[in-house]
Amino acid sequence: MPPSFAHRITKYDPADRDERGHYNGAEDTVSDHGPVEAAYLEAIAAFARESGVDRLEIRDPGVTGFVNFGLEAPVEGHGLAGLFPPDLAGYYDGAEVSVPVALELVRVMLRDQGAWCRLEHQDRFTVHVGWDQYVYVGSDQPCEAAVARTRELGLFAEPITASPYAADLEEPEVTQAADEEFWERVRAELAAPRALLLEEAYLSNATRWHRLTENNLDSVRAGLGPRALLTLWPDLSPDVGAVLAALPGDESVDFVWEAPDGTIRHATVDETDHQQLTTAVAGAKAACFLPLALDERHPLFHAALPDSDGVLRARW
């Protein structure tokens, strides 16, 4: 259940909204990277204090993918440099962070720097950042002092029924856990004998690819990210030339190949990239391409990693 009390925190004066609630004032829709942004963070901190929350859980984290919809250009490292290591270890679904780190994540989202997530503390407290500097805070407390503090900061805390960015828990797309039964199924496929291609989505819009064999299955499994979405595909084709020749001329695809050094690499490409791609994959041992459109993607099977207690909490 979402928290009982929810507020929309913005810099937009409600007096400057039309009859449909659309803002028509002079405030810009991007962060000022300055005092107004700082006011947002201080207001959120006030709500957290009054709610008795000092840590928040990262939920549904993602980074900028093939297309960026933010108003500001994404930055290298998705704005997470200094908060997490370059490989983004620690930034995953279910990770707990302190309120100061959570506020820095809010700053990244306010600036459209390339990362987005929900921040939650069970059903007691939530922080969601939407478009155009809209922030939604939910709490199990009315937080009257935090509302007053938000006004002192020059912002507006408007009561709402619920955050429009609350997670939709009605019908998750992936309900199968990558449990022991799942891994036995993978072993049976590999015993054919053949290899499989494993797509590991460890964040939204961030994937790692693995070419699975009976020999490396255990080591690959040990290195998978928490709550990752695992999708199994048929093996790469050793006829790289034929794969390149079959690339569609009117749509974008994920191109996956095994480099000469044995690493598995991938790139999202369209028809304008085909010549460069041919050069980039010179010497590749095997390759394939996969459609991006969900209704055209037909994997062998997929599942999400459960937590150590066996419970599937990932929301893919």
Side-chain angles (χ1 to χ4, degrees), residues 56-236:
L56 289 168
E57 186 179 19
I58 295 173
R59 296 307 317 266
D60 314 304
V63 293
T64 298
F66 182 55
V67 178
N68 173 49
F69 296 101
L71 295 177
E72 297 190 44
V75 300
E76 185 177 357
H78 312 288
L80 300 175
L83 293 176
F84 302 98
D87 63 357
L88 300 187
Y91 180 64
Y92 60 86
D93 187 59
E96 281 196 1
V97 295
S98 65
V99 167
V101 172
L103 293 177
E104 290 305 312
L105 284 169
V106 171
R107 188 195 305 276
V108 169
M109 290 184 272
L110 287 173
R111 295 183 180 186
D112 283 325
Q113 290 187 317
W116 190 88
C117 64
R118 294 180 175 90
L119 295 162
E120 304 178 354
H121 184 85
Q122 301 170 2
D123 57 357
R124 290 178 50 199
F125 189 76
T126 59
V127 180
H128 305 145
V129 180
W131 298 101
D132 300 340
Q133 308 293 288
Y134 282 75
V135 175
Y136 303 88
V137 176
S139 176
D140 63 351
Q141 303 296 320
C143 295
E144 295 174 357
V147 170
R149 178 59 181 150
T150 300
R151 292 172 182 153
E152 291 174 0
L153 292 166
L155 302 178
F156 302 91
E158 304 167 81
I160 57 175
T161 302
S163 166
Y165 291 89
D168 181 5
L169 305 181
E170 294 295 324
E171 297 181 4
E173 180 181 341
V174 179
T175 57
Q176 181 183 353
D179 52 17
E180 288 305 320
E181 183 177 346
F182 168 85
W183 291 110
E184 286 304 315
R185 182 179 179 185
V186 173
R187 289 185 187 280
E189 292 282 343
L190 294 174
R194 61 171 175 171
L196 294 173
L197 184 64
L198 170 62
E199 178 185 5
E200 174 200 358
Y202 60 100
L203 298 169
S204 177
N205 292 322
T207 58
R208 289 184 286 253
W209 297 81
H210 313 273
R211 198 174 187 186
L212 292 181
T213 66
E214 285 188 293
N215 292 333
N216 71 2
L217 176 60
D218 290 337
S219 61
V220 170
R221 180 181 174 185
L224 296 173
R227 300 186 181 178
L229 174 62
L230 309 180
T231 304
L232 274 298
W233 300 93
D235 190 20
L236 301 173

